[in-house]
Each structure stands twice: as structure tokens, then as C-alpha cells.
Coordinates of all heavy atoms in Angstrom, one line a residue:
D1 N -30.2 40.8 -42.6 CA -29.0 40.2 -43.2 C -28.5 41.1 -44.3 O -27.3 41.2 -44.6 CB -29.3 38.8 -43.8 CG -29.4 37.8 -42.7 OD1 -29.1 38.1 -41.6 OD2 -29.8 36.6 -43.1
D2 N -29.4 41.9 -45.0 CA -29.0 42.8 -46.1 C -28.5 44.1 -45.5 O -27.7 44.8 -46.1 CB -30.2 43.0 -47.0 CG -29.8 43.9 -48.2 OD1 -28.8 43.6 -48.8 OD2 -30.5 44.9 -48.5
W3 N -29.0 44.5 -44.3 CA -28.7 45.7 -43.7 C -28.4 45.4 -42.2 O -29.2 45.7 -41.3 CB -29.8 46.8 -43.8 CG -29.4 48.2 -43.5 CD1 -28.7 49.1 -44.3 CD2 -29.6 48.9 -42.2 NE1 -28.5 50.3 -43.6 CE2 -29.0 50.2 -42.3 CE3 -30.2 48.5 -41.0 CZ2 -29.1 51.1 -41.3 CZ3 -30.3 49.5 -40.0 CH2 -29.7 50.7 -40.1
P4 N -27.2 44.8 -41.9 CA -27.0 44.3 -40.5 C -26.3 45.3 -39.6 O -25.6 44.9 -38.7 CB -26.1 43.1 -40.8 CG -25.2 43.6 -42.0 CD -26.2 44.4 -42.8
Y5 N -26.6 46.6 -39.8 CA -25.9 47.6 -39.0 C -26.7 48.0 -37.8 O -27.4 49.0 -37.7 CB -25.7 48.8 -39.9 CG -25.0 48.4 -41.2 CD1 -25.6 48.5 -42.5 CD2 -23.7 48.0 -41.2 CE1 -25.0 48.1 -43.6 CE2 -23.0 47.6 -42.3 CZ -23.7 47.6 -43.5 OH -23.0 47.2 -44.7
L6 N -26.5 47.2 -36.7 CA -27.2 47.3 -35.5 C -26.9 48.7 -34.8 O -27.8 49.3 -34.2 CB -26.9 46.2 -34.5 CG -27.5 46.2 -33.1 CD1 -29.0 46.0 -33.2 CD2 -26.8 45.2 -32.2
Y7 N -25.7 49.2 -35.0 CA -25.3 50.4 -34.3 C -25.4 51.6 -35.1 O -24.8 52.7 -34.8 CB -23.8 50.3 -33.8 CG -23.6 49.2 -32.8 CD1 -23.1 47.9 -33.1 CD2 -24.0 49.4 -31.4 CE1 -23.0 46.9 -32.2 CE2 -23.8 48.4 -30.5 CZ -23.3 47.2 -30.9 OH -23.1 46.2 -29.9
L8 N -26.1 51.5 -36.2 CA -26.4 52.7 -37.1 C -27.9 53.0 -36.9 O -28.8 52.2 -37.2 CB -26.1 52.4 -38.5 CG -26.0 53.6 -39.5 CD1 -24.9 54.5 -39.1 CD2 -25.8 53.1 -40.9
K9 N -28.2 54.3 -36.6 CA -29.6 54.6 -36.3 C -30.4 54.6 -37.5 O -31.5 54.0 -37.6 CB -29.7 56.0 -35.7 CG -31.1 56.5 -35.3 CD -31.1 57.9 -34.7 CE -32.5 58.3 -34.4 NZ -32.6 59.7 -33.9
D10 N -30.0 55.3 -38.6 CA -30.7 55.4 -39.9 C -29.9 54.9 -41.0 O -28.7 54.6 -40.9 CB -31.2 56.8 -40.1 CG -32.0 57.4 -39.0 OD1 -33.0 56.7 -38.6 OD2 -31.6 58.4 -38.4
R11 N -30.5 54.8 -42.2 CA -29.8 54.4 -43.4 C -29.1 55.6 -44.0 O -29.6 56.3 -44.8 CB -30.8 53.9 -44.4 CG -31.3 52.5 -44.1 CD -32.3 52.0 -45.2 NE -32.7 50.6 -44.9 CZ -32.2 49.6 -45.6 NH1 -31.3 49.8 -46.5 NH2 -32.6 48.3 -45.3
N12 N -27.9 55.9 -43.4 CA -27.1 57.0 -43.9 C -25.6 56.7 -43.6 O -25.3 55.7 -42.9 CB -27.5 58.3 -43.3 CG -27.4 58.3 -41.8 OD1 -26.3 58.0 -41.3 ND2 -28.5 58.6 -41.1
I13 N -24.7 57.5 -44.2 CA -23.3 57.4 -43.9 C -22.9 58.5 -42.9 O -23.0 59.7 -43.3 CB -22.5 57.5 -45.2 CG1 -22.9 56.4 -46.2 CG2 -21.0 57.4 -44.9 CD1 -22.3 56.5 -47.6
P14 N -22.5 58.1 -41.7 CA -22.2 59.2 -40.7 C -21.1 60.1 -41.2 O -20.2 59.7 -42.0 CB -21.7 58.3 -39.5 CG -22.4 57.0 -39.7 CD -22.4 56.8 -41.2
F15 N -21.1 61.3 -40.7 CA -20.2 62.3 -41.1 C -18.7 61.9 -40.8 O -17.8 62.1 -41.6 CB -20.4 63.6 -40.4 CG -19.5 64.8 -40.7 CD1 -19.5 65.4 -42.0 CD2 -18.5 65.2 -39.8 CE1 -18.7 66.4 -42.3 CE2 -17.7 66.2 -40.1 CZ -17.7 66.8 -41.4
S16 N -18.5 61.2 -39.7 CA -17.2 60.7 -39.3 C -16.6 59.8 -40.4 O -15.4 59.7 -40.7 CB -17.2 60.1 -38.0 OG -18.1 59.0 -37.9
Y17 N -17.5 59.0 -41.0 CA -17.1 58.0 -42.0 C -16.6 58.8 -43.3 O -15.7 58.5 -43.9 CB -18.3 57.1 -42.4 CG -18.5 56.0 -41.5 CD1 -18.6 56.1 -40.2 CD2 -18.7 54.7 -42.1 CE1 -18.8 55.0 -39.3 CE2 -18.9 53.6 -41.3 CZ -18.9 53.8 -39.9 OH -19.1 52.7 -39.1
W18 N -17.4 59.9 -43.6 CA -17.0 60.7 -44.8 C -15.6 61.3 -44.6 O -14.8 61.3 -45.6 CB -18.0 61.8 -45.0 CG -19.3 61.4 -45.6 CD1 -20.5 61.4 -45.0 CD2 -19.5 61.0 -46.9 NE1 -21.5 61.0 -45.8 CE2 -20.9 60.7 -47.0 CE3 -18.7 60.7 -48.0 CZ2 -21.5 60.2 -48.2 CZ3 -19.3 60.2 -49.2 CH2 -20.6 60.0 -49.3
I19 N -15.3 61.7 -43.4 CA -13.9 62.3 -43.2 C -12.9 61.2 -43.5 O -11.9 61.5 -44.3 CB -13.8 62.8 -41.7 CG1 -14.8 63.9 -41.5 CG2 -12.3 63.2 -41.5 CD1 -14.8 64.4 -40.0
V20 N -13.0 60.0 -43.0 CA -12.0 59.0 -43.2 C -12.0 58.5 -44.7 O -10.9 58.3 -45.2 CB -12.4 57.7 -42.3 CG1 -11.4 56.6 -42.6 CG2 -12.3 58.1 -40.8
L21 N -13.2 58.4 -45.3 CA -13.2 58.0 -46.7 C -12.5 59.0 -47.6 O -11.8 58.6 -48.6 CB -14.7 57.8 -47.1 CG -15.4 56.7 -46.5 CD1 -16.9 56.6 -46.9 CD2 -14.7 55.3 -46.8
V22 N -12.7 60.3 -47.4 CA -12.0 61.3 -48.2 C -10.5 61.2 -48.0 O -9.8 61.3 -48.9 CB -12.5 62.7 -47.8 CG1 -11.7 63.8 -48.4 CG2 -14.0 62.9 -48.2
I23 N -10.1 61.0 -46.7 CA -8.6 60.8 -46.5 C -8.1 59.6 -47.2 O -7.0 59.7 -47.8 CB -8.4 60.7 -45.0 CG1 -8.7 62.0 -44.2 CG2 -7.0 60.3 -44.7 CD1 -8.7 61.9 -42.7
V24 N -8.9 58.5 -47.3 CA -8.4 57.3 -48.0 C -8.3 57.6 -49.5 O -7.3 57.2 -50.1 CB -9.5 56.2 -47.8 CG1 -9.2 55.1 -48.8 CG2 -9.4 55.7 -46.4
L25 N -9.2 58.4 -50.1 CA -9.1 58.7 -51.5 C -7.9 59.6 -51.8 O -7.2 59.5 -52.8 CB -10.4 59.4 -51.9 CG -11.7 58.6 -52.0 CD1 -12.9 59.4 -52.4 CD2 -11.5 57.4 -53.0
I26 N -7.6 60.5 -50.9 CA -6.5 61.4 -51.0 C -5.2 60.6 -51.0 O -4.3 60.8 -51.8 CB -6.5 62.5 -50.0 CG1 -7.7 63.5 -50.2 CG2 -5.2 63.3 -50.0 CD1 -7.8 64.5 -49.1
I27 N -5.1 59.7 -50.0 CA -3.9 58.9 -49.9 C -3.7 58.0 -51.1 O -2.6 57.8 -51.6 CB -4.0 58.0 -48.6 CG1 -3.9 58.9 -47.4 CG2 -2.9 57.0 -48.6 CD1 -4.1 58.1 -46.1
A28 N -4.8 57.4 -51.6 CA -4.8 56.6 -52.8 C -4.3 57.4 -54.0 O -3.5 56.9 -54.8 CB -6.1 56.0 -53.1
W29 N -4.8 58.6 -54.1 CA -4.4 59.5 -55.3 C -2.9 59.8 -55.2 O -2.2 59.7 -56.2 CB -5.2 60.7 -55.3 CG -4.9 61.7 -56.4 CD1 -4.1 62.8 -56.3 CD2 -5.3 61.6 -57.8 NE1 -3.9 63.4 -57.6 CE2 -4.7 62.6 -58.5 CE3 -6.0 60.7 -58.5 CZ2 -4.9 62.9 -59.8 CZ3 -6.2 60.9 -59.8 CH2 -5.7 62.0 -60.5
I30 N -2.4 60.2 -54.0 CA -1.0 60.5 -53.9 C -0.1 59.3 -54.1 O 0.9 59.4 -54.8 CB -0.7 61.1 -52.5 CG1 -1.5 62.4 -52.3 CG2 0.8 61.3 -52.2 CD1 -1.4 63.0 -50.9
S31 N -0.6 58.1 -53.6 CA 0.2 56.9 -53.8 C 0.3 56.5 -55.3 O 1.3 56.1 -55.7 CB -0.5 55.7 -53.0 OG -0.5 56.0 -51.6
T32 N -0.8 56.7 -56.0 CA -0.8 56.4 -57.4 C 0.2 57.2 -58.2 O 0.9 56.8 -59.0 CB -2.2 56.6 -58.0 OG1 -3.2 55.8 -57.3 CG2 -2.3 56.2 -59.5
R33 N 0.2 58.5 -57.8 CA 1.1 59.4 -58.5 C 2.6 59.2 -58.1 O 3.5 59.4 -58.9 CB 0.7 60.9 -58.2 CG -0.6 61.3 -58.8 CD -0.7 61.0 -60.2 NE -2.1 61.1 -60.7 CZ -2.5 60.5 -61.9 NH1 -1.7 59.8 -62.6 NH2 -3.7 60.7 -62.3
K34 N 2.8 58.7 -56.9 CA 4.2 58.4 -56.5 C 4.7 57.1 -57.2 O 5.8 57.0 -57.6 CB 4.2 58.2 -55.0 CG 4.0 59.4 -54.2 CD 5.2 60.3 -54.2 CE 5.1 61.5 -53.3 NZ 6.2 62.4 -53.4
V35 N 3.8 56.1 -57.3 CA 4.2 54.8 -58.0 C 4.3 55.0 -59.5 O 5.2 54.4 -60.1 CB 3.2 53.7 -57.6 CG1 3.6 52.4 -58.3 CG2 3.2 53.5 -56.1
F36 N 3.4 55.8 -60.1 CA 3.4 56.0 -61.5 C 3.6 57.5 -61.8 O 2.7 58.2 -62.3 CB 2.1 55.5 -62.1 CG 1.8 54.0 -61.8 CD1 0.9 53.7 -60.8 CD2 2.3 53.0 -62.6 CE1 0.6 52.4 -60.5 CE2 2.1 51.7 -62.3 CZ 1.2 51.4 -61.3
P37 N 4.8 58.0 -61.6 CA 5.0 59.5 -61.7 C 4.9 60.0 -63.2 O 4.6 61.1 -63.4 CB 6.5 59.6 -61.2 CG 7.1 58.3 -61.4 CD 6.1 57.3 -61.2
R38 N 5.1 59.1 -64.2 CA 5.1 59.5 -65.6 C 3.7 59.4 -66.2 O 3.5 59.8 -67.3 CB 6.1 58.7 -66.4 CG 7.6 58.9 -65.9 CD 8.5 58.1 -66.8 NE 9.9 58.3 -66.4 CZ 10.9 57.6 -66.9 NH1 10.7 56.8 -68.0 NH2 12.1 57.8 -66.5
V39 N 2.8 58.8 -65.5 CA 1.5 58.6 -66.0 C 0.7 59.9 -65.9 O 0.6 60.6 -64.9 CB 0.7 57.5 -65.2 CG1 -0.7 57.4 -65.6 CG2 1.4 56.2 -65.5
K40 N 0.0 60.3 -67.0 CA -0.8 61.4 -67.1 C -2.2 61.0 -67.5 O -2.4 60.1 -68.3 CB -0.3 62.4 -68.1 CG 1.1 62.9 -67.9 CD 1.3 63.6 -66.6 CE 2.8 64.1 -66.4 NZ 2.9 64.7 -65.1
G41 N -3.2 61.6 -66.9 CA -4.6 61.3 -67.2 C -5.1 60.1 -66.5 O -4.5 59.5 -65.6
M42 N -6.3 59.6 -67.0 CA -7.0 58.5 -66.5 C -7.6 57.6 -67.6 O -8.2 58.1 -68.5 CB -8.1 58.9 -65.5 CG -8.8 57.8 -64.8 SD -7.8 57.1 -63.4 CE -7.8 58.5 -62.2
N43 N -7.4 56.3 -67.5 CA -8.0 55.4 -68.4 C -9.3 55.0 -67.6 O -9.3 54.1 -66.8 CB -7.1 54.2 -68.7 CG -7.7 53.2 -69.7 OD1 -8.9 52.9 -69.6 ND2 -6.9 52.8 -70.6

């Protein structure tokens, strides 16, 4: 119940997941800068 990943061979994050996750972070960063163009830095 804590690790219900039947289709995952080992306890790791597959390389294909990393590709998608990096793309998600890039899209999120670009979206943030588009919505808040005057904001500089990070709180």
C-alpha cells in the first residue's frame, strides 16, 4: 500500500519520467514569468 507500483521493477524513477518532469518544470518557469513579468527573484 505504501509502494503500490506493480509495473515498476525497482525503487527508482525511470529515465522517461525524468524527461517529462524536466519539461514540466520548464513550462512552469516560463508560465510564471509570463504571468508575472515584473517579478524579479524568488521568495
Side-chain angles (χ1 to χ4, degrees):
D1 286 351
D2 184 49
W3 194 81
Y5 305 111
L6 179 67
Y7 295 100
L8 192 63
K9 181 182 177 183
D10 301 305
R11 286 179 174 261
N12 60 56
I13 302 177
F15 180 71
S16 56
Y17 278 49
W18 283 113
I19 296 175
V20 176
L21 293 176
V22 169
I23 293 174
V24 167
L25 290 178
I26 293 173
I27 293 174
W29 178 261
I30 295 174
S31 302
T32 304
R33 294 309 168 197
K34 289 288 185 181
V35 176
F36 303 98
R38 298 181 180 179
V39 170
K40 304 297 181 182
M42 183 75 69
N43 186 317

